[in-house]
Amino acid sequence: MTSPATPTAETGLNMQTRLIALVVAIAFFMENLDATVIATALPTMATAFGVTPVDMNIGITAYILAVAIFIPLSSWIADRYGARRVFAGAIILFTLASLLCGLSQSLEMFVFARILQGIGGALMVPVGRLAVLRNTDKKDLVKMIAVITWPGLVAPILGPLAGGLIVTHASWPWIFYVNLPLGVLAWVAALWLVPDGREPNVRKFDAKGFVLLAGACVTLLGGLEWLGNQTGEMLIPGVVLVAAGSLLAVWAVRHCRQSSAPLLPLETLSINTFRVSIYGGSLFRLAISAIPFLLPLLFQVAFGLSPVDAGLLVLAVFAGNLAMKPFTTAIMQRYGLRRVLLVNGAIGVVSIVACALFTAQTPFAVIAAVLFVGGLSRSMQFTCYNSIGFADVSKPRMSEASALFSMAFQLAMGMGVTVAALLLRMSMSVSGHEVQAQAGDF
């Protein structure tokens, strides 16, 4: 299919880029919504599958792990087969996997479907983002990145409420069936809007790099998942997996630095602003990603709230995100990125610590106020990190930068959920609450 605007017409290019960014934003929204929408549905789904609610965190982890494993392939596949073909194919895979999730009759089948969904997501957003970055002028870069990333920021907050409403008024499979019409629309739009984007000279596929990167991701997150589900001597395999994953990660980084054509080039880390966005942003996302997983469980399992009430409380974070948006640019320009990142980061930490003080007797207004402040901080911090991430990256290096950024993003999200589940299980074990977590465990 041909695109609706020719690359030689500046106005057409701008309009085409905006439309592509909108399609990618929808894809990013679907991907991140599916990463968290099951949070409030975990107790219901656990009952259907015959497992405990905490055991269901594997559905979140498997999805994010699959995304992290296959993201390094995204830039190479896009260069080899063309951005339009890969982006559209990834949307199809993601949509069909959503259908399989809804049809699942067991936890094993559900995890398999989530892995397929994660593979689609791994190729969907990075390749879509790459198509936008390649067609965006430097002066419009921050604006286009904001268009793409903001829905991904909103989705984890809307997810718990959407999941609560669906399991209360319908049934949990509809959590995934809602992706079907969105997926079809995104697929048609991708074929219409996204340029082919195939590179004439594609580097050789780095099989060794892929094995090392995938192995590091699988063993690290798999080891943490094992540690979260075992006790006593059975913890030893988990420790071994984490150690092996750490060694593989070091080996993978060394390979990517020394190889002449690595699957995941690391040269962009020499750019100071990009490096800050990767390292600082990943630590921030690791901490933040635990919140949409832990809070709905706390409100339902420990406080006895309904899925809808739990989702409504978490929605206060989204209100904070929305309220901060009109002021982010002015604040960054007034105080500078360094000061904003430091001060706002401290506010975000305090808001997370405050969640540990919640009890079943805490007024809803107080809980909502704390989460609202956390939403304000979360929105500002994400905007800062995303703004500086690609500011100094040249267009020839956008492909590798996009893949590296996406991999760091998803690994941080996966590590956040996995580590949160691990710490929760440890707390339950210490407290003697092996079957059901109590407020103090959280």
Side-chain angles (χ1 to χ4, degrees), residues 43 52 56 109 128 155 188 391 412 438 440:
T52 66
M56 288 299 301
M109 181 179 177
V188 173
Q438 305 297 319

Side-chain angles (χ1 to χ4, degrees), residues 47-200:
T47 300
F49 293 151
V51 297
T52 66
V54 180
D55 289 333
M56 288 299 301
N57 82 287
I58 191 175
I60 299 176
T61 304
Y63 173 82
I64 298 177
L65 178 60
V67 172
I69 290 173
F70 285 90
I71 275 178
L73 286 174
S74 61
S75 61
W76 183 86
I77 291 179
D79 292 342
R80 175 67 176 81
Y81 297 102
R84 179 172 59 219
R85 183 182 298 178
V86 175
F87 186 47
I91 292 173
I92 293 175
L93 178 59
F94 185 90
T95 305
L96 291 177
S98 298
L99 177 62
L100 288 178
C101 285
L103 296 175
S104 297
Q105 300 297 314
S106 66
L107 181 60
E108 292 76 15
M109 181 179 177
F110 177 70
V111 171
F112 173 74
R114 291 285 281 177
I115 291 173
L116 290 180
Q117 208 178 27
I119 296 173
L123 302 177
M124 189 166 62
V125 174
V127 173
R129 182 194 292 113
L130 179 59
V132 174
L133 296 177
R134 284 177 172 172
N135 290 275
T136 301
D137 293 331
K138 205 74 171 179
K139 60 183 176 62
D140 298 322
L141 195 59
V142 173
K143 185 184 297 183
M144 289 297 99
I145 291 175
V147 171
I148 295 171
T149 56
W150 193 74
L153 178 66
V154 171
I157 308 305
L158 290 180
L161 175 61
L165 289 171
I166 290 172
V167 298
T168 300
H169 299 290
S171 58
W172 69 262
W174 284 98
I175 288 175
F176 302 99
Y177 293 157
V178 296
N179 284 335
L180 303 184
L182 287 175
V184 171
L185 290 175
W187 175 68
V188 173
L191 292 177
W192 178 46
L193 293 167
V194 178
D196 183 56
R198 189 179 306 182
E199 292 294 315

